Amino acid sequence: MVHDFSAPPRLGRRRLLQGATGLGALATLGPLGACAAPASLAGGDGRIRFWNLFSGGDGANMRAMLDRFRSEYPELTVEDTTLAWGDRYYTKLAMAGAGGRAPEVGVLHLGRLAGFAPGRLLDPIDPVLLAAEGVHREDFNPRLWDRAMVDGELYGLPLDVHASLCFYNRPACAAAGLLDGQGRLVELTGVDTFLAALDEVRGVIGQSPLGWNALMSGECWWTFLGLYQQTGGTMLSEDGTGITLDDDRAEEVLALMARLVADEYAIPGQDLVGYFVNGGGFVLFGNWLVVDFDNAGVDYGATPYPTLFGTPATQAESHCLVLPHQRGRGGGANEAAHRLIAWLVRNSVSWAEASHVPAYLPVLEDPEYLAMEPQAEYRSAMDMAAFDPPAWFFGTSSRGQNEVGVHLSAAALGSVSPAEGVRGVRSALRKLINTRNPFGEGSPA
């Protein structure tokens, strides 16, 4: 498969602003930038600049994985740079891609892909080079892989799925009769069953049974997205330009979220780690709290969200390895970049130690992974992942999550009714759809 890596990005004003500099850089690269033969990998530059946003436990794990890669491929040089998480990271990555002088490899949340690829801030990943490194489409959940495709090209290689989970206090649930013979939480299917379980645990621990913070718009978004997709509802059309929200289903989910607060199942503003470490019953939050709970020595388990509205689903995101746009991408440096991203996903059992569900399916059957607790317990999150709607304004730390989330939070806190909350969600979606994508002028997204 041959790619025209030298094709200019469709960036309008941004491209014009940086065009002169980019042309100069391309001239400097000359024929070496795009025409190196496959055999040049070992003898070429061999330098891979890798931008990421991993700090804390994620950062330590990634650095350890990169050290292993360096020891296996001493002819290659990996220069990793950790940048501040959030909008600043995405803005810097976009600007680097717009200028065509980006690093060889970067990290992008899958939900952000719609805001980058249509503007050609990313270069496509070559499936032939991936296959040469032992990585193929069939090694991934098809829905996850296909979500990283744009116009028939792969723009992100999924490293993991990180999901919203239901953490449970094992001793408290045992006393409430909620564990099975293997010491795991029994299935809690349906709203009434879930609330009855919360009541049982409340009776055991003598305090509110659920750690869930309705004050935070992001947490409300995660909870709403997972539960709403359990109803079978969608929010936007496939092209992200039309609202498909089912008001009745959305209102039903918001009514439950409001009840969790009104009936004091969950106290807004709680520190979730402190709550759980000090004997709390359940916590609804992302899988990365595993690190905190392990460090605190809590006896707990973790599952995807219980199925309360018919169809199994739990909110999820994915860290993807991407190739930020470079003018003249190709040759040995590009092959080295493909070698690195393929190696990282094939060796992601180490990544699972930081709590994430590896995207590379063979790892999910690795005995080393299956021995990890509670990681192995929630690996089904891969098959029931509820991703953000496919629009430029959604994804981690996005305008969509914030501007829709405030209406969800207001309804959960009882400041507005569930019906008013749904109307607020519709208004926010309409405003976002009518706003131009700042990273991709002229793009369909």
Side-chain angles (χ1 to χ4, degrees), residues 28-59:
T28 301
L29 283 172
L32 295 177
C35 301
S40 66
L41 190 152
D45 182 318
R47 183 177 68 146
I48 311 168
R49 292 165 296 170
F50 177 31
W51 285 9
N52 66 78
L53 38 61
F54 299 130
S55 59
D58 283 354

Side-chain angles (χ1 to χ4, degrees), residues 322-344:
V322 297
L323 307 180
H325 175 67
Q326 291 182 331
R327 288 191 175 89
R329 178 182 284 277
N334 188 49
E335 292 165 27
H338 282 76
R339 173 162 293 177
L340 173 62
I341 63 176
W343 188 95
L344 288 172

Side-chain angles (χ1 to χ4, degrees), residues 205-221:
I205 65 177
Q207 60 173 314
S208 60
L210 179 64
W212 177 66
N213 192 353
L215 278 175
M216 303 300 292
S217 58
E219 292 176 41
C220 286
W221 167 256

Side-chain angles (χ1 to χ4, degrees), residues 210-216 219 261 266-272 275 413:
L210 179 64
W212 177 66
N213 192 353
L215 278 175
M216 303 300 292
E219 292 176 41
V261 175
I267 306 300
Q270 260 180 338
D271 167 31
L272 301 187
Y275 164 77
L413 293 169

Side-chain angles (χ1 to χ4, degrees), residues 416-428:
V416 300
S417 70
E420 290 170 325
V422 171
R423 287 196 289 275
V425 169
R426 277 192 168 275
S427 175

